[in-house]
Amino acid sequence: MATTDEIIKRTAPSHLIDHNLIDREVESLCDGMVQYQKRPAQRRDGSVVDGLYNAWIIFNNPKQFNSYTTDMVKATILAFRRASADRQVNAVVFTGVGEKAFCTGGNTKEYAEYYAGNPQEYRQYMRLFNDMVSAILGCDKPVICRVNGMRIGGGQEIGMACDFSVAHDLANFGQAGPKHGSAAIGGATDFLPVMIGCEQAMVSGTLCEPFSAHKAARLGIIADVVPALKIDGKFVANPTVVTDRFLDEYGRVVHGEFRTGSQFKEGQAMIKEGEIDLSLLDQKVEELCAKLLDTFPECMTKSLEELRKPKLNAWNQNKENSRAWLALNMMNEARTGFRAFNEGTKETGREIDFVKLRQGLAVGTPWTEELVDSLMPAAAR
Ligand SMILES: CC(C)(COP(=O)(O)OP(=O)(O)OC[C@H]1O[C@@H](n2cnc3c(N)ncnc32)[C@H](O)[C@@H]1OP(=O)(O)O)[C@@H](O)C(=O)NCCC(=O)NCCSC(=O)C1=CCCCC1=O
């Protein structure tokens, strides 16, 4: 009987049709701010597999916490289509450079300086954003979000569109919408209720309070969490987060909540003193890729398609209405909120005086450029 290798050699066709949309390097669409790397696949024992790869899609905008510009969104759509069509690719690893941020969502500088006050332009942008989220949810390969740091706003949304998330435990998660003039309708309002239930989704989507990777694991937003902080060469859990007990004296769950007061400050000092090492994160990601490799490919794709449906159906039901509303929102609250973040500083703050705005609207004050200018952090001082 012929061996599998002999059969492959004898029967594999000499020409394969290329199903990619365009034949351009991902990096060429965005000056390298999104990188596409085919990294050799590994077996569970760590040995490298000939001819098979994992596609790493990497956001490379560290100065702006790996937020995505319009060009980066275009490149990301192409990257996921490329990975989906590439016969040699078995899994996609979606991540960012560095250890501070996976992604903090849309680029607030571009939002404030180009899209603010231009709903027709933002509608075009949101076509691209929607296609980016759909490209993740429609990828024929399993998608792992390697959470190399904070996952905030639209970064949390594209992260939740992935099939698996593995995070290091210094990463924070959360939305920014109603604090920065938007609503988390770029996927979070579709995915959160499905993933963590309506009550916790409401807390995250409206109050916009960040939560730790340990809490994200407890809530079910991520599949796994590993330490990244080394003190004297030894990995330790995030010292700003409660990880040494599950309940407080009243029987309430405190595991994964942030420490407070002097304990939190001491934890921050420990992080400053320590060394950040993402080797355990990469080990966990490679282990997951190796497990995914050890399956039938078509059955894997079918399982992905079915298990994605709760998120995908919610997303498809709402994404076009969300796009239209987000465009129009650029006339008032998004224009105000993203300008405030972009023009604010640590000293002036980066958010408006929400009470002042509400007081004005409560007496029917109309939205004018003058009102918006008066709400900017520097003006309010
Ligand atoms: C809470 C933060 C994520 C982290 O805060 P902190 O640790 O205090 O860092 P900062 O000093 O705020 O930021 C450091 C520098 O990074 C720049 N930065 C941070 N985030 C962005 C961003 N998203 N775009 C551009 N630049 C960013 C920041 O300006 C600092 O640089 P500087 O030169 O000014 O010193 C906090 O950073 C934060 O809240 N960031 C903004 C989060 C945000 O609002 N994202 C957009 C949400 S809306 C969105 O993503 C959407 C997606 C699609 C659907 C529609 C939509 O609205």
Side-chain angles (χ1 to χ4, degrees):
M1 175 191 290
T3 66
T4 307
D5 278 341
E6 286 163 350
I7 294 165
I8 291 170
K9 200 165 179 261
R10 180 165 24 96
T11 58
S14 57
H15 170 68
L16 290 170
I17 292 176
D18 177 2
H19 296 101
N20 271 303
L21 272 177
I22 57 172
D23 186 15
R24 278 188 65 177
E25 291 309 311
V26 166
E27 290 79 356
S28 70
L29 289 179
C30 58
D31 290 335
M33 292 173 79
V34 175
Q35 297 167 354
Y36 184 86
Q37 297 172 3
K38 281 177 69 170
R39 296 188 184 183
Q42 297 173 25
R43 292 184 184 83
R44 292 178 192 228
D45 63 8
S47 59
V48 169
V49 178
D50 285 344
L52 296 179
Y53 301 84
N54 299 309
W56 283 56
I57 298 172
I58 306 168
F59 278 177
N60 179 27
N61 181 21
K63 284 206 178 75
Q64 294 182 311
F65 279 176
N66 290 329
S67 58
Y68 42 77
T69 62
T70 305
D71 286 345
M72 289 172 72
V73 175
K74 291 182 195 173
T76 306
I77 297 166
L78 176 66
F80 273 94
R81 287 299 301 266
R82 175 144 303 162
S84 187
D86 190 327
R87 299 172 181 85
Q88 295 182 322
V89 167
N90 290 277
V92 178
V93 178
F94 188 21
T95 190
V97 297
E99 78 285 337
K100 280 200 181 307
F102 161 67
C103 174
T104 57
N107 188 282
T108 49
K109 185 174 181 59
E110 189 178 58
Y111 279 14
E113 297 176 5
Y114 182 78
Y115 290 114
N118 290 314
Q120 74 290 350
E121 291 298 306
Y122 198 63
R123 180 187 279 271
Q124 294 304 328
Y125 166 90
M126 280 306 299
R127 167 56 64 232
L128 294 169
F129 176 86
N130 280 4
D131 287 356
M132 172 170 67
V133 173
S134 296
I136 298 167
L137 288 165
C139 184
D140 285 346
K141 315 294 168 57
V143 180
I144 300 165
C145 183
R146 170 186 176 271
V147 190
N148 61 295
M150 63 179 86
R151 196 169 88 172
I152 300 288
Q156 171 75 323
E157 295 177 305
I158 59 178
M160 290 191 288
C162 298
D163 301 308
F164 304 88
S165 289
V166 180
H168 75 65
D169 78 346
L170 300 174
N172 285 348
F173 296 74
Q175 303 306 145
K179 288 287 192 184
H180 291 171
S182 191
I185 56 178
T189 49
D190 301 314
F191 306 149
L192 282 171
V194 169
M195 297 176 83
I196 62 175
C198 292
E199 189 75 13
Q200 288 295 333
M202 189 65 76
V203 168
S204 180
T206 58
L207 305 183
C208 304
E209 292 166 342
F211 50 92
S212 75
H214 289 281
K215 182 164 184 178
R218 168 161 55 90
L219 292 178
I221 283 187
I222 63 175
D224 220 329
V225 57
V226 295
L229 178 65
K230 268 183 163 174
I231 302 291
D232 301 331
K234 185 171 173 294
F235 279 109
V236 297
N238 181 342
T240 65
V241 173
V242 175
T243 55
D244 51 0
R245 62 194 171 106
F246 201 72
L247 303 175
D248 69 5
E249 61 272 35
Y250 303 113
R252 295 173 302 187
V253 176
V254 291
H255 187 279
E257 299 300 333
F258 291 113
R259 295 184 188 278
T260 56
S262 61
Q263 283 192 342
F264 183 78
K265 288 193 168 58
E266 284 157 24
Q268 285 181 309
M270 273 180 76
I271 293 172
K272 275 209 173 76
E273 292 299 307
E275 172 205 351
I276 308 295
D277 177 337
L278 300 193
S279 60
L280 292 183
L281 178 64
D282 289 334
Q283 185 181 318
K284 189 62 78 176
V285 166
E286 287 296 348
E287 273 172 21
L288 180 51
C289 289
K291 289 177 184 174
L292 293 164
L293 181 70
D294 249 357
T295 59
F296 278 102
E298 288 302 310
C299 295
M300 172 56 69
T301 300
K302 184 58 184 169
S303 303
L304 292 170
E305 287 169 345
E306 292 306 315
L307 289 163
R308 285 169 178 170
K309 278 183 179 171
K311 290 194 279 191
L312 187 62
N313 292 343
W315 168 248
N316 284 336
Q317 184 181 332
N318 301 313
K319 63 185 169 67
E320 293 310 301
N321 285 339
S322 299
R323 170 179 183 238
W325 184 88
L326 286 164
L328 291 174
N329 182 49
M330 268 296 170
M331 278 312 292
N332 292 328
E333 292 191 359
R335 172 170 53 153
T336 308
F338 291 123
R339 272 194 54 195
F341 184 84
N342 188 49
E343 295 169 22
T345 63
K346 288 232 187 266
E347 295 66 41
T348 64
R350 291 185 150 150
E351 292 172 357
I352 71 162
D353 180 340
F354 300 107
V355 171
K356 186 67 73 185
L357 171 63
R358 287 174 176 270
Q359 287 171 325
L361 297 177
V363 295
T365 306
W367 279 95
T368 60
E369 195 71 44
E370 190 186 17
L371 174 71
V372 172
D373 289 343
S374 75
L375 290 164
M376 291 305 104
R381 285 177 70 81

